[in-house]
């Protein structure tokens, strides 16, 4: 089995591995590249190189036009790709991979008529087969059809199980591309515009119905269309997740998790009741446990779904009398105010004990839009701020739950709370997810100086600085508070604007006298950071003398 690629490896380091392999084995550079790529589980050197360079190199047409499953997946990428095509229509006929991405059936046919072996040949930015570009494309161009391209490719012999290995570990198939979605949400990572027809085409052509990555990507939202289609085409209780399992020694092994069991575990925890029932009906193991050791029966009760708990028990799940903490959690999730209040009255200190043991309890309820549960927990005295790494308001904003966001703010949740992962605010989480309604709502409230930068709201930014000029030298670290350290703590509004490539905000902050002579946590100056990570315009702005600084 291949080795696990250490996270964050630079292209320079990977090229050094190639040089070392070439020298020690006496082979050509091309042979060394293939060997290194294979060693880390990639299908080719180019796939490894594309993985390592992205998202730093975000300018290629195919890169912008397809889902890539990096955090840079955004609707504006597709907009930019369409504009590139408008400016240069020849992009769509450059080769079979570009033609597949734009959905040009006639051009794909012309290439195949001239050279039939192109049907499964890898190429383009990602070194993918043409079918993958058709399935991962999100250009949705008038007069073009990636579904039509996929049909032609399959008819001419394309492998319906075409795939690439993301990070050398996760198997991203043509089916995965058709279903779309993922951790960045359906706005950033939408399904193919003809998802059902495309998935049906692939499955009818023989694509493996045990597509663990497609199921993973679609398990974050309600509904179970993807699961139902795969079950109808042969997915069963004996299948195992088909991505590689990372071991502590840095080597991958076969995944031990059964596909349906993994999905059932998630569905029960995340309130996907109908999906859970479907999985149970198809033989998922109801006797399994969560990574924390809880039975699925207990998880269902704690999630506020006693009917699902009974259904699990009817199909063989072991029942048990739950402790008082679990009963309180279940009552809150079910909105059972009478039971919850009685438990709290009978057991002094229970809320504090529960929240200490379950710091993500309110976060999960907010993220899954359990409005009545969160309202009840607020009435009982649960802390609605950041107890663990993330605040409930972060998850509610990310998921686009406007009513939940309003409820949390009515209960004095802080607009400026920052998570422990990215040191980001709820507004930034909403913008990252593409939750535009919630982002617009939060932007209408009295947001802080950093949020005014990220929201590109110069009027609000000016108003804040007029009221308090000292905000120029505020830092993310000062806003976060606490004794822990985050790599973003050094950032001032100016540094934040530079890293966000917000030229208008940079200009305004410089005009107000923001200091340029600052450095990050490892001593890089702001101008050097701008040269590495920002734009030419911003570098020029930082290089100009300012009357305020003379």
């Amino acid at each position: 089995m291949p080795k696990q690629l250490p996270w964050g490896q630079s292209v320079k380091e990977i090229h050094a591995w190639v040089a070392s392999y070439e020298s020690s084995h006496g082979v050509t550079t091309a042979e060394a590249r293939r060997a290194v790529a294979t060693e880390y589980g990639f299908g080719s050197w180019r796939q490894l190189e594309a993985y390592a360079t992205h998202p730093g190199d975000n300018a290629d047409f195919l890169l912008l036009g397809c889902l890539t499953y990096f955090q840079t997946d955004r609707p504006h990428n597709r907009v930019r790709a369409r504009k590139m095509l408008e400016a240069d229509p020849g992009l769509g006929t450059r080769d079979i991979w570009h033609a597949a991405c734009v959905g040009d059936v006639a051009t794909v046919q012309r290439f195949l008529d001239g050279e039939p072996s192109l049907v499964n040949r890898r190429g383009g930015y990602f070194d993918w087969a043409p079918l993958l570009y058709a399935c991962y494309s999100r250009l949705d161009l008038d007069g073009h059809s990636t579904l039509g391209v996929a049909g032609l490719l399959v008819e001419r012999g394309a492998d319906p199980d075409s795939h690439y290995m993301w990070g050398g570990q996760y198997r991203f198939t043509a089916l995965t591309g058709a279903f779309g979605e993922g951790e960045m949400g359906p706005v950033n990572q939408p399904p193919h515009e003809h998802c059902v027809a495309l998935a049906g085409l692939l499955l009818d052509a023989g694509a493996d119905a045990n597509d663990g990555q497609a199921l993973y990507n679609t398990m974050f939202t309600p509904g179970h269309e993807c699961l139902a289609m795969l079950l109808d085409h042969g997915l069963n209780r004996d299948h195992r997740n088909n991505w590689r399992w990372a071991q502590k020694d840095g080597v991958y092994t076969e995944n031990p998790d059964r596909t349906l069991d993994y999905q059932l575990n998630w569905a029960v925890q995340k309130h996907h009741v109908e999906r859970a029932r479907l999985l149970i009906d198809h033989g998922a193991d109801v006797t399994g446990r969560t990574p924390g050791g809880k039975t699925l029966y207990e998880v269902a009760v704690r999630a506020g779904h006693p009917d699902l708990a009974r259904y699990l028990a009817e199909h063989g799940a072991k029942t048990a009398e739950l402790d008082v903490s679990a009963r309180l959690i279940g009552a809150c999730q079910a909105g059972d105010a009478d039971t919850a209040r009685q438990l709290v009255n009978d057991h002094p200190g229970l809320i504090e004990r529960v929240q200490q043991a379950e710091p993500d309890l309110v976060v999960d309820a907010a993220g899954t839009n359990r409005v009545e549960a969160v309202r009840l927990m607020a009435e009982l005295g649960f802390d609605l701020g950041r107890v663990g790494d993330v605040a409930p308001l972060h998850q509610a904003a990310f998921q686009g739950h406007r009513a939940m966001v309003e409820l949390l703010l009515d209960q004095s949740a802080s607009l400026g709370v920052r998570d422990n992962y990215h040191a980001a605010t709820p507004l930034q989480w909403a913008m990252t997810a593409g939750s535009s309604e919630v982002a617009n709502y939060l932007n209408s409230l009295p947001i802080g100086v950093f949020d005014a930068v990220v929201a590109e709201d110069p009027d609000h930014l000016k108003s804040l600085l007029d009221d308090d000029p000292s905000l120029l030298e505020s830092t993310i670290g000062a806003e976060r508070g606490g004794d822990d350290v985050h790599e973003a703590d050094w950032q001032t509004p100016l540094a934040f604007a530079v890293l966000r490539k917000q030229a208008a905000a940079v200009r305004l902050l410089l005009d107000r006298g923001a200091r340029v002579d600052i450095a990050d946590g490892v001593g890089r100056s702001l101008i050097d950071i701008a040269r590495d990570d920002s734009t030419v315009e911003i570098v020029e702005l930082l290089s100009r003398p300012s009357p305020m600084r003379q």
Side-chain angles (χ1 to χ4, degrees):
M1 293 297 291
K3 292 181 181 178
Q4 182 179 2
L5 182 71
W7 182 254
Q9 291 299 297
S10 69
V11 178
K12 183 177 180 180
E13 290 171 310
I14 293 172
H15 277 280
W17 298 346
V18 170
S20 175
Y21 190 97
E22 183 180 351
S23 174
S24 62
H25 290 76
V27 297
T28 66
T29 300
E31 290 170 331
R33 286 177 170 181
R34 283 195 296 273
V36 169
T38 301
E39 183 179 11
Y40 287 98
F42 290 85
S44 69
W45 165 257
R46 177 55 198 158
Q47 288 182 13
L48 170 56
E49 189 177 44
Y51 177 82
T53 57
H54 185 68
D57 177 21
N58 203 25
D60 184 87
F61 174 75
L62 295 178
L63 170 63
L64 293 167
C66 295
L67 291 186
T68 66
Y69 286 93
F70 283 85
Q71 291 190 355
T72 49
D73 273 338
R74 293 290 190 281
H76 64 71
N77 289 347
R78 277 84 79 181
V79 172
R80 185 176 168 192
R82 293 183 195 108
K83 289 180 178 178
M84 291 171 69
L85 187 62
E86 290 175 8
D88 181 9
L91 277 173
T93 57
R94 176 179 293 178
D95 52 44
I96 192 171
W97 305 285
H98 282 76
C101 182
V102 302
D104 188 336
V105 179
T107 297
V108 171
Q109 181 172 335
R110 176 170 56 81
F111 277 114
L112 292 175
D113 288 344
E115 191 173 353
S117 63
L118 284 172
V119 71
N120 285 310
R121 187 177 300 173
R122 294 193 305 236
Y125 182 88
F126 296 105
D127 200 32
W128 288 348
L131 184 60
L132 291 179
Y133 286 105
C135 293
Y136 283 84
S137 172
R138 292 300 183 267
L139 293 175
D140 192 13
L141 299 167
D142 291 338
H144 295 72
S145 174
T146 49
L147 174 61
V149 166
L152 173 63
L153 290 166
V154 168
E155 180 184 319
R156 295 293 186 93
D159 180 3
D161 275 326
S162 294
H163 71 279
Y164 72 98
M165 299 303 293
W166 192 96
Q169 181 176 11
Y170 301 103
R171 184 184 179 92
F172 277 67
T173 66
L175 261 181
T176 305
F179 285 115
E181 301 192 36
E183 294 177 359
M184 294 296 292
V187 173
N188 293 318
Q189 294 167 328
H192 189 276
E193 62 268 20
H194 298 294
C195 169
V196 174
L198 179 55
L201 168 73
L202 296 167
L203 288 164
D204 289 343
D208 188 353
N210 180 33
D211 198 312
Q213 193 62 49
L215 287 167
Y216 177 88
N217 288 351
T218 56
M219 74 184 188
F220 298 98
T221 53
H224 50 267
E225 190 170 48
C226 171
L227 172 62
M229 285 192 72
L230 297 183
L231 289 168
D232 286 344
H233 284 80
L235 176 64
N236 63 62
R237 63 184 298 174
D238 295 324
H239 281 127
R240 295 184 183 273
N241 280 332
N242 59 359
W243 60 70
R244 293 164 177 158
W245 190 261
Q247 299 295 306
K248 290 181 180 179
D249 61 4
V251 174
Y252 292 134
T253 62
E254 295 297 332
N255 198 310
D257 293 329
R258 287 189 176 89
T259 305
L260 299 191
D261 299 349
Y262 181 92
Q263 289 292 315
L264 179 61
N265 199 306
W266 178 271
V268 174
Q269 293 183 69
K270 299 300 179 181
H271 311 284
H272 299 317
V273 175
E274 292 307 312
R275 185 182 300 174
R277 286 175 175 268
L278 183 61
L279 289 159
I280 293 167
D281 291 345
H282 282 80
D285 182 10
V286 298
T287 66
R289 292 177 179 267
T290 68
K294 296 180 179 66
T295 67
L296 294 182
Y297 176 85
E298 179 182 357
V299 171
V301 173
R302 289 161 57 95
H305 299 295
D307 290 344
L308 178 57
R310 283 192 290 273
Y311 198 70
L312 284 160
E314 290 167 3
H315 286 77
K318 185 178 180 180
T319 63
E321 184 67 27
L322 303 186
D323 64 25
V324 65
S325 294
R327 296 203 305 275
L328 174 61
I329 292 169
C332 288
Q333 291 280 23
D336 183 352
D338 291 340
T339 298
R341 292 191 184 103
Q342 187 64 53
L343 289 169
V344 170
N345 290 336
D346 291 346
H347 301 275
L350 178 59
I351 290 174
E352 291 77 11
R353 293 197 301 275
V354 167
Q355 195 152 23
Q356 183 175 8
E358 308 272 352
D360 291 331
L361 177 63
V362 187
V363 174
D364 290 341
T368 51
N369 208 28
R370 309 283 289 176
V371 174
E372 293 307 315
V374 173
R375 181 176 286 114
L376 176 55
M377 285 189 274
E379 292 173 1
L380 292 173
F382 280 84
D383 188 343
L384 303 189
R386 181 170 62 79
V387 177
D389 290 319
V390 175
L393 190 56
H394 285 116
Q395 273 295 347
F398 187 86
Q399 299 297 338
H401 299 320
R402 168 73 179 266
M404 180 65 73
V405 167
E406 292 182 354
L407 169 62
L408 290 166
L409 291 173
D410 286 344
Q411 296 292 332
S412 301
S414 171
L415 269 176
V417 63
R418 293 181 177 273
D419 70 278
N420 277 350
Y421 300 113
H422 312 289
T425 64
L427 173 59
Q428 292 166 41
W429 276 56
M431 294 178 69
T432 296
S435 301
S436 55
E437 181 185 359
V438 168
N440 291 336
Y441 170 66
L442 293 174
N443 193 33
S444 71
L445 302 176
I447 56 176
V449 63
F450 289 94
D451 275 350
V453 170
V454 77
E456 300 183 68
D457 190 343
D459 291 337
H460 188 68
L461 183 57
K462 290 175 185 176
S463 177
L464 288 169
L465 295 174
D466 287 342
D467 291 343
D468 185 2
S470 69
L471 289 174
L472 278 174
E473 307 309 330
S474 60
T475 64
I476 287 177
E479 284 199 359
R480 287 195 324 111
D483 296 328
D484 58 323
V485 177
H486 191 279
E487 62 181 8
D489 284 347
W490 68 279
Q491 293 178 29
T492 63
L494 177 60
F496 185 72
V498 167
L499 290 168
R500 288 276 178 167
K501 303 179 182 179
Q502 302 285 4
V506 169
R507 183 178 290 105
L508 189 158
L509 291 162
L510 289 172
D511 289 345
R512 292 298 183 99
R515 290 177 51 201
V516 177
D517 59 335
I518 55 176
D520 67 9
V522 295
R524 284 196 309 164
S525 69
L526 187 58
I527 188 71
D528 285 340
I529 292 168
R531 290 191 182 105
D532 291 340
D533 300 317
S534 198
T535 67
V536 172
E537 180 184 6
I538 287 176
V539 171
E540 291 176 350
L541 286 171
L542 293 173
S543 302
R544 293 173 185 171
S546 168
M548 295 287 291
R549 300 194 298 272
Q550 289 179 341

